[in-house]
Amino acid sequence: KYIDADAFYDTAYYNDDKNWDNGVLYIGNHLIKAETSLLRNYEIKIGTKTISSCAFYDCDSLTSVIIPNTVISINAFGKCNLLKEISISKNTKNISPYTFSNSNLEIVNFLGTCKEWENMQYSNDEQFANANIICTCMGEHTYIDENDVSCNECDFIKFDLGDIDGIDGVTDADAEYLLMFTFFPEDYPVNQEC
């Protein structure tokens, strides 16, 4: 199911610096290994199909990763202590149990709906315990515990028309947001009919 990150370790291909792209080794459209010194933000190449198991293990400077929509399974970011934010697509169908172990995820940008997030297969909710899952439906899952997930913009929670944040009914904050939407709709998206 996964290629191990060390499968090509110490081979001629692995040892040839010309095969490494900014600290990351790809073979065709497969990401094999990232150097542990990989800095800050990294965007995996578009067209990448697989990421080897533990490819980013112990990349302790990595703070954010964008994973393209061609990757369907993830098992690669254990012990990335500074990793705070990832972006993944709805095409990602499986996140292995310890994919983000010992990472401190705060934000998961999920390029899909909240329902698609709920249908994704991941077996360890603890890796998302402190993360806000932000879906393209503009909803935001806040994990309180593994059995309590709420979304303030889609079918996971019902709220009154005009109650933009889903908190305490229609408030002054909702009215202010709707007023800003009137003048700056690109900056203040609304997923309700006004």
Side-chain angles (χ1 to χ4, degrees):
K1 192 172 181 178
Y2 294 101
I3 301 168
D4 187 76
D6 291 328
F8 298 93
Y9 180 76
D10 211 22
T11 64
Y13 190 88
Y14 186 98
N15 292 330
D16 188 344
D17 290 340
K18 292 182 269 178
N19 295 324
W20 290 76
D21 182 8
N22 293 317
V24 179
L25 179 66
Y26 287 87
I27 297 178
N29 52 11
H30 306 282
L31 190 154
I32 304 301
K33 180 78 173 159
E35 293 176 345
T36 57
S37 60
L38 189 67
L39 296 178
R40 316 245 342 128
N41 309 315
Y42 187 72
E43 184 170 347
I44 294 170
K45 285 183 182 181
I46 293 173
T48 300
K49 290 185 177 182
T50 61
I51 303 170
S52 69
S53 177
C54 301
F56 290 88
Y57 185 81
D58 206 18
C59 288
D60 55 8
S61 297
L62 189 63
T63 58
S64 71
V65 175
I66 298 173
I67 301 170
N69 66 2
T70 50
V71 175
I72 59 168
S73 192
I74 306 171
N75 182 27
F77 298 95
K79 208 174 172 193
C80 294
N81 299 324
L82 296 179
L83 184 59
K84 303 285 187 204
E85 183 173 356
I86 63 162
S87 295
I88 59 176
S89 115
K90 66 182 180 181
N91 294 339
T92 301
K93 303 296 183 202
N94 184 0
I95 299 176
S96 293
Y98 300 101
T99 299
F100 300 103
S101 63
N102 297 318
S103 297
N104 295 303
L105 281 180
E106 294 175 359
I107 298 171
V108 177
N109 296 303
F110 181 65
L111 307 176
T113 67
C114 294
K115 284 184 180 181
E116 289 166 324
W117 175 260
E118 289 301 312
N119 291 330
M120 182 185 296
Q121 295 179 17
Y122 53 92
S123 55
N124 181 1
D125 284 333
E126 289 181 23
Q127 60 189 336
F128 303 112
N130 297 314
N132 284 326
I133 314 301
I134 303 171
C135 305
T136 54
C137 68
M138 299 305 293
E140 182 173 324
H141 289 297
T142 304
Y143 276 80
I144 297 165
D145 65 44
E146 64 185 54
N147 298 315
D148 188 0
V149 179
S150 62
C151 173
N152 66 358
E153 295 284 343
C154 70
D155 291 342
F156 282 95
I157 189 169
K158 300 291 184 191
F159 50 90
D160 298 327
L161 189 62
D163 183 9
I164 302 302
D165 59 7
I167 302 171
D168 297 330
V170 180
T171 63
D172 290 345
D174 297 312
E176 182 179 339
Y177 191 94
L178 286 172
L179 182 63
M180 295 304 289
F181 167 77
T182 303
F183 295 104
F184 310 103
E186 300 83 18
D187 297 327
Y188 294 85
V190 173
N191 268 359
Q192 295 184 21
E193 294 181 20
C194 294

